[in-house]
């Protein structure tokens, strides 16, 4: 078994799937988790031609299920050297006052509780792996820069940023690195999920510009996970060249 093993959550689409392919190209063994079984098995079948792959159907919101998956890892897949906390989502692009409370709870349970569940379950393994082990948390520019309709999504990604910083403090001396990768506009299933399947809204967001791709972010994830063991990238904010910050919103009398 390859001595380098990556555990990737949300591996059935977007950054997670692209990361699985990138790590496999470099010869890493993989533990891939996700909720969509058919997609997960198709990806595993594709990548087993390159590297050993173990899969787990998993909803990261379920702490007991996460713990059970980690405890049941086959012997050859136990020595995790990189955790990619990718599972997450955005819902409800409407203003906060129009949002269904259930959408807020789903984002909190997935983006915050899910990330915490997986991290807590794998921390002993990563600490045992020691120098050069990595936790790569997928945040967002929304965790740093507010915009209309971001409400709980942006707040959840701000949690990812601060949790990553605080983990670094607690893990000092263990050799385990922690990075918050914060993508800007990227063309994945993100907007389709956020708008509950509105293909027109997704197409309109990316029309006429050049967004990031899932592969662009996978390359950054792989980069920070394979740096020399004495280097830790604390936070990596990545935006398309054609995306930048807007000015402050001003309300005016009519």
């Amino acid at each position: 078994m390859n001595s380098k093993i990556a555990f990737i959550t949300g591996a059935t689409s977007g950054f997670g799937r692209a990361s699985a392919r990138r790590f496999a190209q470099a010869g890493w063994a993989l533990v891939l988790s996700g909720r969509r079984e058919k997609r997960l098995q198709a990806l595993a079948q594709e990548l087993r031609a390159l590297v050993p792959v173990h899969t787990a159907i998993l909803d990261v919101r379920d702490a007991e299920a996460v713990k059970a998956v980690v405890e049941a890892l086959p012997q050859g897949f136990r020595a995790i050297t990189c955790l990619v906390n990718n599972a997450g989502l955005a819902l409800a692009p409407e203003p906060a006052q129009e949002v269904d409370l259930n959408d807020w709870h789903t984002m909190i349970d997935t983006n915050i509780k899910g990330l915490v569940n997986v991290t807590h379950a794998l921390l002993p393994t990563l600490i045992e792996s020691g120098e050069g082990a990595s936790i790569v948390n997928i945040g967002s520019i929304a965790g740093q820069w507010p915009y209309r309709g971001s409400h709980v999504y942006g707040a959840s990604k701000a949690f990812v940023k601060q949790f990553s910083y605080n983990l670094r403090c607690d893990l000092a001396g263990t050799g385990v690195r922690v990075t918050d990768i914060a993508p800007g506009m990227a063309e994945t299933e993100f907007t389709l999920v956020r708008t509950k399947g509105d293909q027109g809204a997704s197409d309109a967001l990316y029309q006429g510009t050049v967004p990031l791709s899932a592969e662009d972010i996978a390359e950054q994830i792989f980069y920070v996970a394979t740096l020399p063991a004495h280097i830790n990238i604390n936070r990596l904010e990545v935006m398309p060249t054609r995306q930048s910050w807007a000015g402050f919103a001003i309300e005016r009398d009519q």
Side-chain angles (χ1 to χ4, degrees), residues 204-239:
L205 178 64
Y206 306 117
Q207 184 178 7
T209 191
V210 184
L212 301 171
S213 68
E215 290 72 23
D216 293 332
I217 298 303
E219 193 63 40
Q220 305 312 308
I221 293 168
F222 182 77
Y223 167 70
V224 301
T226 54
L227 285 167
H230 69 286
I231 300 174
N232 190 112
I233 303 296
N234 298 327
R235 185 170 187 270
L236 184 58
E237 188 174 288
V238 188
M239 297 169 70

Side-chain angles (χ1 to χ4, degrees), residues 103-207:
D103 286 341
W104 277 4
H105 286 172
T106 298
M107 287 187 282
I108 291 167
D109 290 345
T110 307
N111 299 352
I112 296 177
K113 290 184 179 180
L115 181 145
V116 166
N117 290 341
V118 178
T119 303
H120 188 269
L122 282 172
L123 272 176
T125 298
L126 291 160
I127 291 170
E128 185 176 350
S129 292
E131 190 175 69
S134 301
I135 300 171
V136 183
N137 295 325
I138 305 303
S140 169
I141 61 169
Q144 177 77 14
W145 308 106
Y147 59 88
R148 286 174 59 87
S150 182
H151 38 75
V152 164
Y153 175 69
S156 71
K157 293 304 185 176
F159 172 89
V160 173
K161 178 179 70 172
Q162 194 61 38
F163 182 60
S164 300
Y165 289 171
N166 292 344
L167 268 179
R168 279 221 64 211
C169 296
D170 291 342
L171 292 172
T174 67
V176 179
R177 306 177 291 189
V178 186
T179 300
D180 168 31
I181 291 188
M185 178 188 285
E187 188 169 6
T188 64
E189 294 178 13
F190 177 88
T191 302
L192 276 178
V193 172
R194 193 176 194 200
T195 61
K196 299 182 179 178
D198 187 340
Q199 185 65 56
S202 180
D203 293 343
L205 178 64
Y206 306 117
Q207 184 178 7

Side-chain angles (χ1 to χ4, degrees), residues 3-11 15-17 19-20 23-24 28-34 40 52-60 62-63 65-74 76-87 114-115 117-123 125-126 129 133-138 221 225:
S3 61
K4 294 182 178 180
I5 307 170
F7 188 116
I8 302 173
T9 67
F15 304 149
R17 183 168 58 193
S19 295
F23 278 88
W28 287 55
L30 299 169
V31 177
L32 305 179
S33 75
L40 194 62
V53 180
H54 175 72
T55 62
I57 307 304
L58 179 64
D59 186 337
V60 296
D62 186 336
V66 170
K67 182 179 178 182
V69 163
V70 171
E71 290 178 347
L73 286 174
F77 291 91
R78 288 183 174 273
I80 306 298
T81 45
C82 178
L83 165 61
V84 181
N85 272 317
N86 169 71
L115 181 145
N117 290 341
V118 178
T119 303
H120 188 269
L122 282 172
L123 272 176
T125 298
L126 291 160
S129 292
S134 301
I135 300 171
V136 183
N137 295 325
I138 305 303
I221 293 168

